[in-house]
C-alpha cells in the first residue's frame, strides 16, 4: 500500500516536472519578453525576423515625421534608432522605457508597428502635486 | 480551530455576531481606502489617474495569493487530521482565490490598456498569472467532478478531500513562480515596489492608500471565507440528516 502510494507520488512528480519543462520551453519567447539593443546589434540576423526590442527612449531623440515616430532606444550603452509607424499611447515619453515590435532593416534602423510603454516601479506625484486636486 | 475566544466558523449566534462585526469593519476600511485611493492620493507623475487602478489590482493579487495559501494550509491540515472541516475551508479559499485572480487580470488588463497601450501581452507575469487561474479553476473542477462521480456532496467525502488536498498543496508551487516572474525573467510588468529588497520610492499618501486597500481586501476576503465555510458546513449537515435528495443537484 505504502509502496503503491510512493510509486504514484513519484509518477505525479515526474509528470509535473515534464509538464513544467514543456511549458517553459514552449514559452521561451514569453520568458524573455524583449531583447535589448545590445543583443539585437550582437546578432542582427536574428532580428531580421519579427522580434521585440526594449530600452529607454533617449531624451532629445524623439521626433515625428508624418505618421512615423522616430526615436532611439538605449540600454547598457547600446542604441538603436526606431521608426515606429502609428502613434504610441499617451504615456509614451522620453526617458521612459518602451518595447517595440518589428524587425531590423538592413540600414540598421528598427522598423516597428507596435509600441508599448514599460514604466518603472516608482510612484511619485505629478509635478504640480496640489494643483490638480484644487482644480477639480 | 476549536474554541479559543470565539470560534469564528462555528454556526452559533455569538460567532455570527463576531462575523458581522468583522464585516462592518471591512466596510469602514473599504470606505477609507476609497477616499484615500480616489481623492487623497495624488495622481502619478508618469501614469496619471490610471495609476489609481493599483489600489484595486495589487490588493486583489495579494489576497489571491493569501487565499491560495489558505488552500495549502487547509490541505495540509486535512491530510494530518482527516477533518472535513479543513476540506471545506480549502474549497472556500480556492473559490475566493480564483475570483480575485480574475479581478487581478481584469484590472491589470485595463491598467495595461491605459498605461502600456495594450490589453494583453505574452509576458511572463501575465502568462504565469493565467496559468495560476487555470490551475485553481481546474482544482475546483476536479473537486466538483470527483464528487459528482462518487455521488457525494463537494466537501463531504474523504476520497475527494484527499485528492483535493494534494492538488491544492502542489498548486501552490505556482504562487512563487507568479510572484518572482518579474525578477527571474525579463518582463514588461514592473517589479514589486513594497516587497522589493531596496524599496523604490513611493509617495507616502499612495503608500497609505495601498495599505488601507490591502487591509480592506484581506479582511473582506476573510469574512467571505468564514461565511462560505459556515454555509458549506450547514449544507453538509442538513444534507446528511434530512435532505439527501438535494445532493446531486449541486454541481458548482
Amino acid at each position: 500500500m505504502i509502496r503503491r502510494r510512493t510509486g504514484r507520488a513519484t509518477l505525479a512528480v515526474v509528470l509535473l516536472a515534464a509538464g513544467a519543462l514543456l511549458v517553459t520551453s514552449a514559452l521561451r519567447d514569453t520568458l524573455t519578453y524583449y531583447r535589448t539593443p545590445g543583443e539585437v546589434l550582437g546578432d542582427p540576423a536574428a532580428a531580421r525576423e519579427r522580434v521585440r526590442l526594449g530600452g529607454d527612449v533617449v531624451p532629445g531623440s524623439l521626433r515625428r515625421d508624418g505618421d512615423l515616430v522616430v526615436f532611439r532606444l538605449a540600454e547598457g550603452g547600446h542604441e538603436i534608432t526606431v521608426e515606429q509607424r502609428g502613434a504610441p499611447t499617451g504615456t509614451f515619453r522620453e526617458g521612459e522605457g518602451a518595447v517595440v515590435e518589428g524587425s531590423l532593416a538592413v540600414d540598421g534602423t528598427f522598423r516597428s508597428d507596435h509600441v508599448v510603454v514599460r514604466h518603472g516601479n516608482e510612484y511619485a506625484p505629478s509635478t504640480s502635486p496640489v494643483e490638480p486636486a484644487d482644480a477639480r | 480551530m476549536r474554541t479559543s475566544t470565539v470560534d469564528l466558523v462555528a454556526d452559533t449566534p455569538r460567532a455570527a455576531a463576531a462575523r458581522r462585526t468583522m464585516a462592518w469593519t471591512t466596510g469602514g476600511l473599504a470606505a477609507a481606502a476609497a477616499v484615500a485611493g480616489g481623492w487623497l492620493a495624488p495622481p502619478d507623475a508618469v501614469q496619471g489617474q490610471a495609476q489609481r487602478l493599483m489600489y484595486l489590482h495589487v490588493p486583489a493579487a495579494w489576497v489571491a495569493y493569501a487565499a491560495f495559501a489558505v488552500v495549502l494550509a487547509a490541505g495540509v491540515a486535512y491530510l494530518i487530521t482527516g477533518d472535513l472541516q479543513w476540506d471545506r475551508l480549502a474549497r472556500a479559499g480556492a473559490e475566493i482565490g480564483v475570483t480575485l485572480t480574475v479581478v487581478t487580470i481584469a484590472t491589470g488588463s485595463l491598467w495595461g490598456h491605459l498605461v502600456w497601450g495594450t490589453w494583453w501581452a505574452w509576458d511572463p507575469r501575465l502568462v504565469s498569472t493565467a496559468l495560476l487561474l487555470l490551475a485553481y479553476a481546474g482544482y475546483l473542477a476536479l473537486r466538483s467532478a470527483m464528487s459528482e462521480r462518487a455521488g457525494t456532496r463537494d466537501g463531504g467525502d474523504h476520497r475527494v478531500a484527499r485528492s483535493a488536498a494534494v492538488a491544492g498543496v502542489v498548486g501552490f508551487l505556482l504562487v512563487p513562480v507568479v510572484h518572482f516572474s518579474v525578477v527571474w525573467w525579463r518582463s514588461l510588468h514592473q517589479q514589486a515596489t513594497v516587497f522589493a529588497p531596496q524599496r523604490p520610492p513611493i509617495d507616502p499618501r499612495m503608500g497609505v492608500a495601498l495599505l488601507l486597500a490591502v487591509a480592506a481586501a484581506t479582511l473582506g476576503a476573510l469574512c467571505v471565507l468564514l461565511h462560505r465555510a459556515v454555509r458549506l458546513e450547514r449544507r453538509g449537515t442538513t444534507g446528511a440528516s434530512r435532505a439527501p435528495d438535494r445532493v446531486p443537484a449541486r454541481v458548482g
Side-chain angles (χ1 to χ4, degrees):
Chain A
M1 179 69 189
I2 287 169
R3 205 164 185 176
R4 226 181 90 213
R5 271 171 57 186
T6 42
R8 267 203 319 207
T10 319
L11 185 68
V13 167
V14 168
L15 282 179
L16 271 173
L21 207 67
L22 275 176
V23 168
T24 45
S25 62
L27 295 180
R28 181 143 304 158
D29 257 4
T30 285
L31 291 185
T32 305
Y33 185 70
Y34 59 89
R35 297 166 197 228
T36 62
E39 288 166 359
V40 165
L41 291 174
D43 185 9
R48 303 279 179 234
E49 289 169 37
R50 199 172 169 79
V51 292
R52 296 192 199 99
L53 168 71
D56 289 332
V57 182
V58 176
S61 72
L62 179 65
R63 64 188 164 83
R64 277 156 217 270
D65 187 2
D67 69 336
L68 277 185
V69 182
V70 185
F71 51 89
R72 290 204 304 280
L73 280 182
E75 195 176 300
H78 296 276
E79 280 188 15
I80 291 184
T81 303
V82 178
E83 280 182 21
Q84 153 69 22
R85 192 166 290 280
T89 184
T91 45
F92 180 87
R93 63 193 66 170
E94 295 180 337
E96 288 293 317
V99 176
V100 294
E101 213 172 308
S103 53
L104 189 68
V106 193
D107 62 356
T109 57
F110 194 90
R111 303 245 154 77
S112 84
D113 54 19
H114 186 71
V115 55
V116 293
V117 170
R118 186 173 184 274
H119 59 82
N121 54 354
E122 301 181 0
Y123 302 92
S126 40
T127 38
S128 47
V130 187
E131 264 83 289
D134 287 350
R136 269 186 295 156
Chain B
M1 194 158 269
R2 302 279 162 254
T3 45
S4 46
T5 44
V6 184
D7 186 354
L8 284 167
V9 289
D11 199 359
T12 59
R14 193 156 162 244
R19 288 195 296 269
R20 268 198 304 280
T21 310
M22 202 188 261
W24 281 109
T25 315
T26 303
L29 274 173
V35 170
W39 288 279
L40 297 184
D44 182 67
V46 178
Q47 306 180 33
Q49 303 288 353
Q51 180 265 332
R52 296 190 194 282
L53 277 165
M54 180 168 84
Y55 310 126
L56 293 175
H57 179 75
V58 174
W62 281 356
V63 179
Y65 290 167
F68 295 139
V70 167
V71 179
L72 168 75
V76 170
Y78 172 78
L79 289 176
I80 292 171
T81 63
D83 185 347
L84 280 171
Q85 195 179 16
W86 294 113
D87 181 53
R88 288 187 284 265
L89 196 70
R91 178 182 164 189
E95 288 168 344
I96 292 168
V98 164
T99 311
L100 286 175
T101 308
V102 170
V103 172
T104 306
I105 292 175
T107 52
S109 189
L110 179 62
W111 194 358
H113 168 67
L114 293 170
V115 174
W116 294 347
T118 182
W119 294 96
W120 177 262
W122 291 101
D123 160 278
R125 170 58 75 78
L126 277 64
V127 170
S128 58
T129 309
L131 283 178
L132 184 70
L133 176 64
L134 280 178
Y136 280 91
Y139 165 90
L140 288 174
L142 176 82
R143 299 186 57 110
S144 158
M146 283 187 73
S147 335
E148 202 174 339
R149 211 173 80 176
T152 55
R153 185 185 291 280
D154 189 352
D157 186 272
H158 284 284
R159 283 163 300 173
V160 178
R162 180 179 299 275
S163 309
V166 172
V169 170
V170 174
F172 194 79
L173 287 175
L174 270 174
V175 170
V177 173
V178 172
H179 185 73
F180 291 109
S181 57
V182 290
V183 182
W184 293 343
W185 300 300
R186 203 183 284 163
S187 169
L188 175 62
H189 194 284
Q190 70 269 37
Q191 302 202 346
T193 298
V194 177
F195 285 153
Q198 304 105 359
R199 186 176 302 175
I202 178 167
D203 184 88
R205 288 165 292 174
M206 294 177 177
V208 167
L210 182 60
L211 283 183
L212 278 172
V214 168
T218 309
L219 202 60
L222 189 59
C223 285
V224 175
L225 180 77
L226 296 173
H227 179 79
R228 189 78 181 125
V230 171
R231 288 296 291 271
L232 288 173
E233 166 120 45
R234 200 181 289 168
R235 202 188 282 161
T237 50
T238 53
S241 57
R242 274 174 262 161
D245 54 339
R246 275 176 51 214
V247 177
R250 251 346 265 195
V251 184

